């Protein structure tokens, strides 16, 4: 591959381009009208306009992106994550037009994109799954009967879902009808598919996922796990690698299950197999994400591998360079997703202009972003500004470095999740590793952030005063 098009925007487009450039591969950026001066557009070797601001008029129009790629004689297309990354028709169309889709085949995307089809595919490998039904249900009375057999609480989930959409927890028999209607409606709105299924709700789960790589020659390995239990609205905010609760034996078992999930759908490329881990350390297959994950940098830190480069190597037919027993991890890494959201107002988006944007730097600190000072956070896309990642020799060092990096990161003009990240890293439950996916509901009170913000404002005022005095002294020096 000599030239690839990145069918995405922002930090992930920029991150992919950097690895491609190091491999000597030219890059093409695509952009909507509002993104015309974005960093990923300026960094690319070539850039092409694909439509107006709403994603359904630009980044989601696969035919237009393919048309532009053909005009520019592109060899491959990398979808990043979000947008078209898990669209099997787009993957199929890319390859039909003689280009390489830097990701799995369309059959794997289709299978793993449907939760019921995914369950069916992995069933023959005897991988633990949450008790429930393996078929879609639309009849309320049938749903009530199934829920009663499984036992409350149950979870109603969209078969084509993801990101917490089309998901409802039901605690009692009389809630079934209302919650089912809501789940179906939300699933139709988000995915165009109202199919839902019912499974047992694991009350205090941890969310553990395994990074896998698979080549076109039948080789599959995992790159260990990521702990993703700190979430809001069923969506991740903080991830880390490795998990502080897995021992070597459980890690080996879960890793082997993850590679079997990949095998079940003839997977190729980078993917992530997600599990729920209950309080008794039993794990259950949840789903597979057939793309690069937002949180992939923590895996890169502990393994020393570049996952984008590995994706490109696999896509051009190369074999994996190592076997499972040759892969090691070292140290600990934590990632905070920095969203333009207000944690004091139920994490609602808080878009606007970045009037101040000063990034943290230093050993063990990595920042993947797609914005610069003075830019607007558009209302049209996901409000993530950046990913702040730290690495230390152990978990405590990574946590302390994250707190330091948050303090160094100055953003004004929008509310962000930085203060929430600092709250988590200073909370005893997180520090001690005693948490699950209900951390926010159990431990977080928006008023807790006021104290953090007041403290930060005090330090900022002292720093400004110190700088003022230093400047005065400099001016007085003859």
């Amino acid at each position: 591959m000599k030239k690839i098009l990145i069918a995405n925007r922002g930090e992930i487009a920029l991150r992919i381009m950097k690895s491609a450039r190091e491999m000597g591969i030219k890059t093409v950026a695509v952009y909507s009208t509002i993104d015309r001066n974005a960093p990923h557009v300026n960094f690319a070797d070539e850039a092409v306009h694909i439509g107006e601001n709403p994603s359904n008029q630009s980044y989601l129009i696969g035919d237009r992106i393919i048309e532009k790629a053909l005009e520019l004689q592109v060899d491959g297309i990398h979808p990043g994550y979000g947008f078209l990354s898990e669209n099997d028709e787009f993957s199929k169309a890319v390859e039909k037009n003689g280009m390489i889709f830097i990701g799995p085949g369309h059959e794997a995307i289709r299978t793993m994109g449907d939760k019921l089809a995914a369950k069916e595919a992995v069933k023959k490998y005897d991988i633990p799954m949450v008790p429930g039904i393996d078929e879609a249900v639309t009849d309320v009375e049938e749903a009530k009967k199934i829920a009663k057999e499984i036992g409350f609480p149950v979870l109603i989930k969209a078969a084509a879902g993801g990101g917490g959409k089309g998901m409802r927890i039901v605690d009692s028999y009389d809630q079934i009808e209302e919650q089912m209607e809501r789940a179906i409606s939300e699933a139709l709105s988000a995915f165009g598919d109202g199919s839902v299924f019912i499974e047992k709700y694991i009350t205090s789960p941890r969310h553990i996922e395994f990074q896998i790589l698979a080549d076109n020659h039948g080789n599959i390995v995992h790159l260990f796990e990521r702990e993703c239990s700190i979430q809001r609205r069923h969506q991740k905010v903080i991830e880390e690698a490795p998990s502080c609760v897995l021992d070597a034996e459980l890690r080996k078992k879960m890793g082997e299950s993850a590679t079997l999930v990949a095998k079940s759908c003839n997977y190729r490329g980078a993917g992530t197999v997600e599990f729920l881990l209950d309080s008794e350390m039993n794990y259950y297959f949840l789903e597979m994400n057939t793309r690069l994950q937002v949180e992939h940098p923590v895996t890169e830190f502990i393994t020393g591998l570049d996952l984008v480069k590995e994706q490109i190597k696999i896509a051009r037919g190369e074999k994996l360079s190592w076997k499972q027993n040759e892969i090691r991890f070292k140290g600990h890494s934590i990632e905070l997703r920095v969203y333009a959201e207000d944690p004091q107002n139920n994490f609602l988006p808080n878009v606007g202009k970045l009037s101040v944007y000063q990034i943290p730097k230093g050993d063990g600190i990595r920042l993947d972003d797609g914005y610069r000072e003075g830019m607007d956070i558009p209302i049209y896309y996901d409000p993530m500004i950046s990913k702040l990642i730290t690495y230390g020799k152990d978990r405590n060092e990574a946590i302390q470095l994250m707190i330091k990096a948050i303090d160094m990161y100055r953003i004004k003009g929008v509310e962000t999740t930085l203060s929430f990240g600092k709250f988590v890293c200073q909370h005893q439950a997180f520090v001690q590793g005693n948490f699950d996916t209900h951390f926010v509901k159990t431990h977080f009170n928006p008023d807790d952030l006021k104290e953090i913000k007041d403290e930060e404002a005090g330090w900022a005022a002292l720093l400004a005063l110190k700088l003022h005095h230093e400047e005065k002294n400099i001016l007085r020096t003859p």
Side-chain angles (χ1 to χ4, degrees), residues 449-477:
L449 297 189
K450 187 175 185 305
E451 186 178 329
I452 289 174
K453 287 188 174 183
D454 288 346
E455 179 188 327
E456 288 173 347
W459 281 111
L462 286 172
L463 180 61
L465 185 63
K466 180 175 181 287
L467 292 172
H468 174 69
H469 284 307
E470 286 175 354
E471 285 174 4
K472 283 177 71 176
N473 288 334
I474 290 168
L475 289 171
R476 286 175 183 163
T477 302

Side-chain angles (χ1 to χ4, degrees), residues 385-442:
I385 299 170
S386 67
K387 303 178 312 199
L388 177 60
I389 311 105
T390 60
Y391 173 79
K393 67 178 184 296
D394 55 32
R395 188 169 185 265
N396 181 61
E397 187 174 287
I399 291 173
Q400 295 309 312
L401 188 54
M402 177 60 76
I403 294 169
K404 179 182 176 183
I406 289 170
D407 287 340
M408 293 166 64
Y409 202 172
R410 296 191 63 228
I411 299 178
K412 288 187 179 179
V414 297
E415 295 296 328
T416 75
T417 50
L418 282 171
S419 58
F420 174 73
K422 186 172 181 179
F423 166 81
V424 174
C425 288
Q426 292 178 329
H427 199 284
Q428 280 300 103
F430 182 76
V431 172
Q432 295 172 359
N434 184 25
F435 59 91
D436 55 34
T437 56
H438 303 306
F439 178 91
V440 169
K441 185 170 71 174
T442 305

